[in-house]
Amino acid sequence: MITLYHAPQSRSSRMIWLLEELGVPYEIRPVSIFRPMTGEGVGDPANPHPDKRVPAIEHDGALVAESVAILQYLTDAFPNAGLGLRVGTPERGAYLTWLAWYAAEMEPAMFAAMMGELVGAPRKQRSYDTVLARLEQALANGPYVMGNDFSGADLLISSAMAFARHAFPESAAIDAYIERCRARPAAERAGLLDDASGIQIVMTSETVAA
Ligand SMILES: N[C@@H](CCC(=O)N[C@@H](CS)C(=O)NCC(=O)O)C(=O)O
């Protein structure tokens, strides 16, 4: 059994999506977090994340925190879902590159744009432009960043773009990409679970289906 430590409408929401894609048994444990936008909430003593953040998972006695680490851990642990590229396949390098790029390049550029930090900051502007160029090139070749097949990289990238849509320019290609990913049945189920996760203690997709 996998336990996901989760706070609604946060970076752990897409981990519900991931678990639904994988089709493995899991439970959601809602925890409170500090919400910097509103200044509300406090780190939950029941949350095993070292920084009292989300997401975190426990699986077979292992604690994994950080979105990218969780995604890589789970897509490796459950390879039959086809969301990760197996060790030994030629595309594995490109897949890992997208995952690391998401955390190291895309998120900082996206937050800089969201916070209005690009104006008068040529280095940040250059990083943002570089991120955007890489995304636009990937989506021009698309439909997914790895080409024809949806992967864990799209789960991270598209969920962040949907969250921070206004940090990116108007673009039919970006809108279509977000919608293509969001229309996946697993993403739709995850949305229902996320909405419900504020009011129940422990759930699986069966709970919501009932
Ligand atoms: N790099 C981390 C970021 C985790 C993170 O900042 N999560 C937010 C929710 S979206 C959180 O738990 N904030 C509570 C806090 O900062 O104390 C990841 O991707 O897992």
Side-chain angles (χ1 to χ4, degrees), residues 12 16 142 158 195:
S12 58
I16 304 177
S158 70
D195 290 344

Side-chain angles (χ1 to χ4, degrees), residues 118-204:
L118 299 182
V119 179
R123 289 178 62 170
K124 285 186 179 179
Q125 182 68 56
R126 181 171 179 270
S127 296
Y128 174 85
D129 292 345
T130 306
V131 161
L132 191 58
R134 174 110 61 116
L135 271 174
E136 284 173 342
Q137 188 187 20
L139 296 185
N141 298 332
Y144 300 106
V145 295
M146 290 286 295
N148 286 330
D149 297 323
F150 178 84
S151 75
D154 297 297
L155 192 150
L156 288 177
I157 293 167
S158 70
S159 58
M161 293 182 92
F163 165 72
R165 181 64 189 88
H166 58 288
F168 299 93
E170 282 186 23
S171 154
I174 289 176
D175 290 338
Y177 173 64
I178 292 170
E179 282 315 310
R180 194 177 303 133
C181 295
R182 201 156 51 183
R184 293 176 66 82
E188 292 182 349
R189 290 196 300 277
L192 296 175
L193 286 159
D194 191 22
D195 290 344
S197 61
I199 52 171
Q200 287 190 329
I201 304 299
V202 174
M203 284 178 308
T204 64

Side-chain angles (χ1 to χ4, degrees), residues 10-11 14 33-34 51-55 66-67 107:
S10 77
R11 286 182 181 84
R14 61 193 175 182
I33 54 167
F34 173 65
D51 305 323
K52 303 293 178 210
R53 290 180 170 171
V54 293
E66 286 296 326
S67 303
E107 266 217 16

Side-chain angles (χ1 to χ4, degrees), residues 25-59:
Y26 71 95
E27 63 177 13
I28 298 173
R29 296 227 171 246
V31 290
S32 62
I33 54 167
F34 173 65
R35 303 267 183 178
M37 296 291 188
T38 61
E40 292 167 351
V42 287
D44 196 323
N47 183 358
H49 189 297
D51 305 323
K52 303 293 178 210
R53 290 180 170 171
V54 293
I57 62 159
E58 285 174 330
H59 176 235

